[in-house]
Amino acid sequence: MAGNRRPTIKTVAARAGVGRTTVSRVVNGSDLVSADARARVLAAIKELNYVPNTVARGLVTSRTNAVALVIPESASRLGSEPFFAALIRGVSEALADNRTQLQLMLVRDQAEREQLTESVAARRVDGVLLVSVHADDPLPAMLEEMGLPTVLAGRRDIGERLSYVHADNTGGAAQAVRHLLGSGRSKVATIAGPLDMDVGRSRLEGWRTAHHEAGVTASQVLVETGDFSWESGRRAMHSLLERAPDLDAVFAASDLMALGALDELRRQGREVPGDVAVIGFEDSLARYAHPPLTTVRQPVEELGRTMVRILAAITQEGGARQQLMLPTELVVRESA
């Protein structure tokens, strides 16, 4: 019967007339709660006989030996982009070494965000690895407020406060464009990633940096954006060719977008690299492209392993936050 169910943080929040985050703060001793809200939450806890999982285990700080890998993307996106598979491999390997369980959580809507909040509030995990961070994503701030150790894959901006690991996105992009300009290409376009993500902005900045170094105008006509998917790369390439039919090279901010660009170039009868040289970023599917794709290799599995090491240092040793950048490498193949 419903009346015999064990009360949850949602029940307490509803009885106290506050949000779940407020209940979590009270349970975990946070100072970020008003005296009135704290009193209402404590009264609701007493009335409902609510026992947080952490208290039932004896200590708020007790370990669960579980880590959540949180990806705020759709299941189809998770399955179609090699980046996520490589990152999960790296995370899984590192957690196996630590005998720590991995909980994969997709957060696609408000209901799944509330489910994550409940897990965090009940301390069912020791920490969170958060992937695919957008500037307006409320999850990093929520996790920070709730006091749960968190490590990001990437960052929201250059002023990021949380721990994060990312690749040298600006440097890698600049190296790719230097290669194109240095090989005689004079009109180098770019298919940038989402500009509400630091990774998208940083790789676009690398494209601009290389142009500035070479004394070449980085025309906005040669910039199109995508969402890292194959189809967005194809559409972007179509738009670029309409605006600048004489372009002779393109740097795409992901391999999948570069593959979409290659398909559109073939549709329009452009030879690669004869008419248009193409470079991607990641080195996941690049060697299987036709022609094999020149790309910027980023160490995605190592990124996942490094995130786990940082999180373990925080949760197990009380270590300080860390912010690390991993090097990239230009891998030259037949497309450029």
Side-chain angles (χ1 to χ4, degrees):
M1 294 177 61
N4 294 327
R5 290 177 183 169
R6 182 170 178 256
T8 67
I9 190 172
K10 182 178 180 180
T11 317
V12 174
R15 181 64 59 90
V18 299
R20 298 184 195 189
T21 300
T22 300
V23 177
S24 173
R25 289 172 181 167
V26 172
V27 170
N28 293 314
S30 171
D31 295 327
L32 301 174
V33 184
S34 70
D36 176 65
R38 185 183 304 278
R40 282 188 283 137
V41 169
L42 291 175
I45 287 174
K46 183 177 181 180
E47 181 182 349
L48 295 169
N49 195 28
Y50 170 66
V51 181
N53 286 4
T54 49
V55 176
R57 286 194 302 268
L59 290 171
V60 170
T61 55
S62 63
R63 287 180 49 76
T64 65
N65 291 319
V67 166
L69 176 60
V70 179
I71 304 178
E73 299 285 359
S74 67
S76 60
R77 190 74 176 268
L78 182 66
S80 65
E81 294 194 18
F83 171 85
F84 294 118
L87 186 78
I88 291 170
R89 281 197 302 273
V91 167
S92 298
E93 290 171 5
L95 289 177
D97 293 340
N98 293 337
R99 297 180 180 274
T100 300
Q101 180 184 12
L102 174 63
Q103 296 183 15
L104 178 61
M105 302 182 70
L106 300 185
V107 179
R108 295 160 289 190
D109 54 30
Q110 184 59 31
E112 291 178 341
R113 186 172 288 111
E114 289 178 357
Q115 183 181 7
L116 172 62
T117 302
E118 178 111 10
S119 292
V120 170
R123 282 299 196 267
R124 296 188 187 115
V125 294
D126 296 323
V128 169
L129 306 172
L130 182 57
V131 183
S132 196
V133 181
H134 294 258
D136 60 352
D137 190 338
L139 288 177
M142 183 198 81
L143 294 168
E144 184 177 30
E145 288 175 1
M146 297 179 79
L148 190 72
T150 302
V151 181
L152 311 180
R155 59 189 184 184
R156 287 169 287 181
D157 54 49
I158 59 174
E160 181 61 69
R161 300 181 304 275
L162 296 176
S163 294
Y164 66 82
V165 185
H166 69 159
D168 183 5
N169 294 303
T170 302
Q175 186 179 16
V177 179
R178 287 189 201 106
H179 175 77
L180 292 168
L181 294 170
S183 62
R185 307 289 171 163
S186 60
K187 204 161 187 178
V188 180
T190 186
I191 303 174
L195 298 184
D196 67 337
M197 300 181 73
D198 179 78
V199 62
R201 296 191 300 273
S202 294
R203 292 176 188 177
L204 179 59
E205 182 59 30
W207 175 83
R208 291 194 177 110
T209 296
H211 278 82
H212 178 74
E213 291 173 350
V216 178
T217 300
S219 171
Q220 190 63 29
V221 173
L222 295 174
V223 178
E224 189 61 64
T225 60
D227 62 4
F228 293 133
S229 68
W230 182 94
E231 180 56 29
S232 73
R234 189 200 64 76
R235 287 196 306 264
M237 191 72 251
H238 181 83
S239 297
L240 287 168
L241 289 171
E242 283 189 332
R243 295 202 303 265
D246 58 339
L247 65 83
D248 58 6
V250 61
F251 163 65
S254 78
D255 282 357
L256 270 180
M257 292 198 299
L259 295 181
L262 287 174
D263 187 70
E264 182 62 25
L265 288 167
R266 280 193 294 270
R267 292 187 190 192
Q268 299 205 22
R270 304 294 183 96
E271 294 291 331
V272 177
D275 298 323
V276 181
V278 179
I279 296 183
F281 202 117
E282 189 176 314
D283 200 24
S284 52
L285 303 173
R287 72 190 67 185
Y288 307 112
H290 180 69
L293 182 66
T294 295
T295 190
V296 179
R297 177 180 294 158
Q298 63 171 343
V300 181
E301 291 190 28
E302 180 57 27
L303 190 151
R305 288 190 289 268
T306 303
M307 291 175 70
V308 171
R309 287 196 291 269
I310 292 176
L311 188 62
I314 296 171
T315 59
Q316 298 174 24
E317 303 163 18
R321 294 177 178 179
Q322 299 183 50
Q323 299 177 338
L324 299 180
M325 181 171 69
L326 303 182
T328 57
E329 174 190 3
L330 181 67
V331 180
V332 178
R333 297 191 179 96
E334 294 173 24
S335 71

